Amino acid sequence: MAVVFHPGLNTPAHPRVSVCIANFDGEALLPACIDSLLTQTTGAAIEILVHDDCSRDRSVMLLRECYPQVHVIASDENVGFCIGNNRMVARARGDYVLLLNNDAALAPDAIGRLLEMAELIGRPAILTLPQLDWDTGALVDRGCLLDPFFNPIPNLDPARDDVAYVIGACLWCPRDAWHALGGFPEWMESIGEDLYLCGLARMRGMPVRALRESHYRHRQGATFGGNRANAGLRTSIKRRRLSERNKTRALIVLTPGVFAWFLLALHLPALLLEGLALSALRRDATLLREVYLPAIATPFRERNVLRARRNEVQATRTIPVARWFSAVRWQLRKVAMLRRYGVPRVA
């Protein structure tokens, strides 16, 4: 596997913030993203890194021709979101790293606001900004809460700042804290890595918060498909497979105490029921075979690895169980989505 690093020209010698952009076939998306960084109003020195995940378009050429100040890490094989971000943070030099999707763009004051909040908190914290829909400007979330089975619930409460997790489309973290947490779990590949990282941070007493000021705009799902309710829910087999598998893993590893086993005993039959119902409605067993049965098998197939990870993670927990569950809403997110949008369409 070859990874070629192209250092940017005239980049700051001592950056305060390192912005890391994971890219795959994002030639049409990158200009708006990078231009939003070049017009930040903060006086803090910013470096920009892009990990290109073996794009099939002209992404790397675009970066070299139009954005010579960007550090480009070009991979000759597709390695996924987790490895790509970990590679960038390993090369980052800033005190803080900001993970930013290539289909997102920051408001001009965004980095300044994040830096102000980080310094105001005065200890390591994971932060994000209000997420706005790219087309409509509507608020999508201010971070997310969770239901008991690790399904995300968008936080729309203007008075609530502490959340369960922030999505990797815009995730701010001190660089030292990122390394202390171990970065994104590469065994997850993609989907759910942000949930896991933030869950681990919360267990160790690190704040996970959403700002009230500024924002970022996001073309939801432009880079991976799904993740947006637009005339109904649309997703993909790959996204559903990774999502259900990784949420099951996170439930086992992160849920404190005996609650993990109680929730898992409810979670697995519910997954089977969901898979059977959707497959019957579609008159196609693909979903059951490729998404739900593998997720149900995960706790059994990976039991030794998951047990070891759980023991290691739970040994680092410094917060009481009640505080962990303070970001959990005792509702069934999937049922609420079904009532609102109907049966999801899966490509």
Side-chain angles (χ1 to χ4, degrees):
M1 175 183 63
V3 180
V4 181
F5 178 64
H6 303 277
L9 301 177
N10 301 318
T11 55
H14 304 287
R16 187 81 164 113
V17 180
S18 299
V19 181
C20 301
I21 304 168
N23 178 71
F24 175 68
D25 285 356
E27 180 185 359
L29 303 171
L30 283 168
C33 178
I34 296 175
D35 289 347
S36 78
L37 299 174
L38 300 179
T39 56
Q40 289 296 298
T41 56
T42 181
I46 301 169
E47 70 171 350
I48 305 170
L49 300 95
V50 174
H51 181 274
D52 185 79
D53 210 9
C54 197
S55 291
R56 299 160 297 185
D57 62 11
R58 296 181 67 259
S59 290
V60 173
M61 189 67 69
L62 168 77
L63 292 167
R64 292 176 184 170
E65 292 177 353
C66 301
Y67 300 100
Q69 66 273 66
V70 172
H71 299 279
V72 179
I73 302 171
S75 177
D76 69 351
E77 67 175 299
N78 191 275
V79 296
F81 192 72
C82 290
I83 291 176
N85 277 286
N86 287 345
R87 284 177 176 173
M88 285 186 285
V89 179
R91 290 193 177 271
R93 297 171 297 141
D95 299 319
Y96 299 94
V97 294
L98 173 63
L99 309 188
L100 188 66
N101 268 23
N102 64 355
D103 57 358
L106 298 179
D109 65 341
I111 289 180
R113 293 290 189 179
L114 286 163
L115 193 53
E116 287 174 10
M117 180 57 70
E119 293 177 341
L120 181 64
I121 293 173
R123 60 192 178 104
I126 294 178
L127 306 174
T128 194
L129 300 162
Q131 177 186 184
L132 306 185
D133 181 77
W134 187 278
D135 296 321
T136 67
L139 177 67
V140 177
D141 66 54
R142 294 179 57 251
C144 292
L145 307 176
L146 292 172
D147 79 0
F149 304 108
F150 280 66
N151 296 299
I153 301 174
N155 172 40
L156 302 177
D157 184 350
R160 174 158 193 148
D161 301 329
D162 288 305
V163 293
Y165 83 101
V166 307
I167 68 172
C170 180
L171 187 155
W172 170 282
C173 183
R175 183 164 57 93
D176 289 345
W178 172 278
H179 291 308
L181 292 167
F184 277 157
E186 296 182 0
W187 44 273
M188 278 190 163
E189 185 183 347
S190 294
I191 306 296
E193 67 289 320
D194 41 15
L195 181 157
Y196 186 88
L197 181 78
C198 292
L200 186 57
R202 289 183 62 236
M203 294 190 76
R204 298 180 182 180
M206 188 184 301
V208 178
R209 295 182 182 171
L211 274 63
R212 302 184 186 188
E213 301 84 9
S214 195
H215 65 269
Y216 72 103
R217 296 181 301 135
H218 187 202
R219 297 180 175 97
Q220 299 174 76
T223 55
F224 207 93
N227 200 40
R228 181 178 183 183
N230 183 12
L233 291 175
R234 290 181 291 181
T235 186
S236 67
I237 292 287
K238 181 179 180 180
R239 187 182 187 95
R240 294 308 313 146
R241 181 174 65 251
L242 292 171
S243 177
E244 298 301 346
R245 182 196 68 183
N246 289 342
K247 284 185 293 185
T248 300
R249 287 169 164 173
L251 185 156
I252 294 169
V253 174
L254 295 175
T255 306
V258 297
F259 298 98
W261 313 122
F262 172 73
L263 292 172
L264 184 64
L266 297 175
H267 176 62
L268 297 182
L271 278 182
L272 179 59
L273 215 64
E274 182 180 334
L276 288 169
L278 289 176
S279 295
L281 286 170
R282 287 164 50 91
R283 298 182 180 179
D284 182 354
T286 303
L287 269 177
L288 180 65
R289 184 177 62 252
E290 296 190 15
V291 174
Y292 290 95
L293 291 181
I296 292 166
T298 293
F300 307 100
R301 188 176 58 246
E302 301 178 8
R303 59 185 178 277
N304 293 332
V305 172
L306 291 173
R307 184 185 301 115
R309 285 188 179 129
R310 174 178 171 78
N311 290 341
E312 180 182 356
V313 165
Q314 293 297 323
T316 68
R317 179 166 62 88
T318 62
I319 62 170
V321 172
R323 185 172 167 191
W324 167 265
F325 282 107
S326 68
V328 173
R329 289 292 169 266
W330 297 97
Q331 57 182 262
L332 299 177
R333 176 63 176 168
K334 287 183 177 179
V335 173
M337 295 291 282
L338 182 65
R339 287 174 177 169
R340 183 171 181 181
Y341 298 109
V343 176
R345 289 175 284 172
V346 183

